[in-house]
């Protein structure tokens, strides 16, 4: 269980969306969190890969090489 305090503006926005779509406020809050967390994980993965590349722990390959090999 999680309790979240929303600003009045955000609470009204969520309420309007729920009424307009016929879905619950909980549904929309859950979907927003899933989308946000997925994006945040992607950012952290990309940052970690970039760090590994810059440190020389991972190689990169030109797109043209990959296309030539797999196309």
């Amino acid at each position: 269980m999680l309790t979240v305090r929303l600003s009045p503006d955000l609470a009204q926005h969520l309420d309007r969306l729920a009424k307009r779509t016929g879905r619950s406020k909980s549904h929309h809050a859950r979907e927003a969190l899933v989308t946000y967390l997925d994006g945040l994980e992607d950012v952290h993965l990309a940052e970690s890969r970039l760090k590994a590349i810059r440190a020389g722990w991972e190689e990169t390959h030109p797109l043209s090489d990959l296309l030539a090999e797999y196309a």
Side-chain angles (χ1 to χ4, degrees), residues 10-66:
L10 186 54
Q12 287 176 350
H13 189 157
L14 185 58
D15 192 48
R16 283 192 308 269
L17 179 62
K19 287 177 183 172
R20 210 170 32 241
T21 62
R23 298 274 192 150
S24 69
K25 292 186 279 186
S26 293
H27 166 81
H28 289 295
R30 192 171 32 257
E31 290 297 311
L33 278 170
V34 166
T35 300
Y36 175 79
L37 293 175
D38 284 348
L40 190 58
E41 285 179 339
D42 289 345
V43 167
H44 285 289
L45 176 61
E47 288 174 343
S48 139
R49 296 294 301 269
L50 182 58
K51 182 180 177 181
I53 290 167
R54 287 182 173 163
W57 302 329
E58 291 190 29
E59 291 182 26
T60 61
H61 303 278
L63 178 59
S64 57
D65 291 354
L66 296 172

